């Protein structure tokens, strides 16, 4: 009986704790970041609305704060001619492949209290994460061809 209880407790702790790689990633992502550039995989002029919120020009230069202990954050757009202000979100880092270190980054816009009006979010690939830089990528289909949007962050 003791073994069964011990096995149950161990399994529960492993299921709730997440992998070591994800825990380390949450520690690295904690803090303030600047979304410095947004690039596309193909040359051209595109009218892209990111995160169902604003244009690329509004997002570049925005500041982001990640609080991993409760998986919340806020990004702030301050550019002239853009709808300025704070946008709140919740996020999750899901490990995809421990061998490559690639993750899914899930982001859901919310209000200040953490409630989502639409309960919809965005799945991005967390393709690079270091103490000073981070990159997200999202691939969409344009004219039946894959089109990748890269969002490049620098730690403040």
């Amino acid at each position: 009986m003791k073994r069964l209880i011990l096995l149950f407790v161990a399994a529960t702790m492993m299921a709730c704790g997440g992998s070591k790689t994800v825990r380390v990633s949450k520690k690295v992502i904690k803090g303030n970041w600047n979304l410095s550039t947004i690039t596309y995989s193909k040359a051209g002029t595109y009218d892209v609305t990111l995160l169902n919120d604003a244009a690329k020009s509004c997002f570049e230069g925005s500041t982001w704060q990640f609080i991993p202990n409760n998986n919340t954050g806020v990004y702030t757009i301050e550019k002239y001619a853009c709808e300025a202000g704070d946008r709140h979100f919740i996020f999750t880092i899901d490990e995809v492949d421990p061998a490559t270190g690639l993750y899914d980054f899930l982001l859901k816009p919310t209000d200040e209290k953490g409630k989502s009006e639409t309960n919809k979010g965005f799945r991005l690939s967390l393709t690079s994460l270091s103490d000073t830089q981070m990159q997200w990528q999202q691939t969409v289909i344009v004219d039946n061809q894959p089109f990748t949007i890269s969002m490049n962050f620098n730690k403040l």
Side-chain angles (χ1 to χ4, degrees):
M1 185 66 170
K2 278 186 179 181
R3 282 187 184 173
L4 185 59
I5 292 172
L6 184 59
L7 181 62
F8 178 73
V9 169
T12 302
M13 290 177 72
M14 287 174 39
C16 295
S19 75
K20 180 180 179 186
T21 306
V22 170
R23 287 191 308 270
V24 168
S25 297
K26 285 185 174 186
K27 184 177 180 183
V28 172
I29 202 171
K30 179 181 179 179
N32 298 310
W33 295 79
N34 174 263
L35 178 49
S36 55
T37 60
I38 299 169
T39 58
Y40 303 131
S41 60
K42 296 181 182 180
T45 302
Y46 300 95
D47 183 18
V48 176
T49 300
L50 298 166
L51 306 177
N52 284 345
D53 182 14
K56 167 188 171 182
S57 60
C58 294
F59 269 96
E60 287 181 323
S62 61
T63 56
W64 294 65
Q65 180 184 38
F66 296 90
I67 307 165
N69 67 328
N70 64 4
N71 289 357
T72 63
V74 62
Y75 64 91
T76 304
I77 293 177
E78 296 178 343
K79 286 200 172 172
Y80 179 76
C82 298
E83 188 177 329
D86 291 344
R87 278 84 157 164
H88 298 268
F89 60 89
I90 56 174
F91 71 95
T92 305
I93 300 172
D94 287 335
E95 191 168 340
V96 175
D97 183 352
T100 63
L102 295 178
Y103 311 92
D104 275 345
F105 187 87
L106 309 172
L107 184 142
K108 185 184 340 182
T110 67
D111 62 17
E112 288 181 47
K113 296 179 182 179
K115 302 293 182 198
S116 173
E117 290 181 19
T118 63
N119 206 29
K120 291 185 180 179
F122 302 91
R123 181 177 301 274
L124 307 149
S125 294
L126 179 58
T127 56
S128 174
L129 179 62
S130 73
D131 289 334
T132 59
Q133 296 182 330
M134 171 171 59
Q135 182 182 68
W136 300 346
Q137 289 185 338
Q138 184 176 28
T139 302
V140 296
I141 302 299
V142 176
D143 296 330
N144 294 323
Q145 297 291 320
F147 179 80
T148 303
I149 303 165
S150 298
M151 301 170 75
N152 305 293
F153 295 82
N154 294 313
K155 191 125 188 206
L156 297 175

